Amino acid sequence: MPPSPTTTLPAILRDGSDADLRAFLYDLFAAADQLAAIRESFATRLRITGLQFHILMAVHDLAPDGPVGIKQLSAHLRTAPPNATVEVTKLVAAGLLEKRRAESDGRAVEIRLTRKGSKALDGIHPLVRDTNDRMFRDLDRTSFDTVRRSLADIRRNGEAVVASLRSPATAR
């Protein structure tokens, strides 16, 4: 007897089976683990943590020619501002980021890459590019766009699911 399906969504079930969903989830977890290992590998080369590498890349991407705020960075990384602040402080101590009070609002903090931070990212850029080329080489434009949109939908829905599971009303 086949196991009970783990979903009731007709678009996902095939002949009443959720085997495709389960295979997709195993692949998704494996890919997430691989991406985390890749990020850690990049970070190790810079003598920082994977999360710190993620922050450096986010600062680079969000504000290539100027500062980025902690709130903007936190929203981009989907993390709480205090968590981002802790890691940013470590990156400031390492000389990879600089942090200043915003001129327009003395309460806000602006972050930017230092020369050392820019040089570190420039140095690892060829490896990142080669890794991305190899990781995503089998995707054409259409499949890339579909996967990107689908993962954004899954992430957005996941945020709502996690929030509801953390709610006392749904705790068991």
Side-chain angles (χ1 to χ4, degrees):
M1 175 181 221
S4 296
T6 58
T7 185
T8 60
L9 298 173
I12 294 174
L13 292 170
R14 185 184 314 249
D15 299 324
S17 171
D18 70 341
D20 289 346
L21 172 64
R22 286 183 284 119
F24 172 77
L25 290 171
Y26 291 128
D27 284 344
L28 192 59
F29 282 118
D33 289 345
Q34 291 162 352
L35 289 169
I38 290 166
R39 183 175 74 176
E40 287 297 327
S41 179
F42 295 156
T44 298
R45 286 167 167 78
L46 301 180
R47 293 188 162 94
I48 57 177
T49 68
L51 178 56
Q52 291 167 350
F53 178 78
H54 196 57
I55 289 170
L56 280 183
M57 289 298 295
V59 170
H60 175 269
D61 293 344
L62 289 171
D65 300 317
V68 61
I70 284 285
K71 285 183 182 178
Q72 181 186 10
L73 178 64
S74 297
H76 183 72
L77 297 173
R78 292 171 177 75
T79 189
N83 296 340
T85 299
V86 167
E87 297 305 321
V88 164
T89 299
K90 293 174 186 175
L91 290 165
V92 168
L96 299 168
L97 291 179
E98 65 182 9
K99 183 166 68 167
R100 293 187 198 152
R101 291 275 173 212
E103 290 181 19
S104 60
D105 179 355
R107 297 168 297 168
V109 173
E110 296 178 334
I111 304 151
R112 70 177 72 222
L113 291 171
T114 62
R115 278 196 184 117
K116 180 180 176 182
S118 291
K119 187 175 177 181
L121 290 180
D122 288 346
I124 200 154
H125 181 80
L127 178 61
V128 172
R129 182 180 51 231
D130 178 64
T131 300
N132 286 335
D133 287 351
R134 291 186 296 136
M135 186 86 174
F136 302 106
R137 70 176 168 220
D138 294 333
L139 298 178
D140 61 22
R141 181 80 243 175
T142 301
S143 60
F144 176 78
D145 288 343
T146 299
V147 169
R148 189 176 58 84
R149 279 192 306 273
S150 296
L151 281 177
D153 291 342
I154 291 167
R155 182 212 28 90
R156 185 187 66 252
N157 293 338
E159 289 171 353
V161 168
V162 168
S164 74
L165 290 172
R166 289 182 176 159
S167 166
T170 59
R172 295 176 194 230

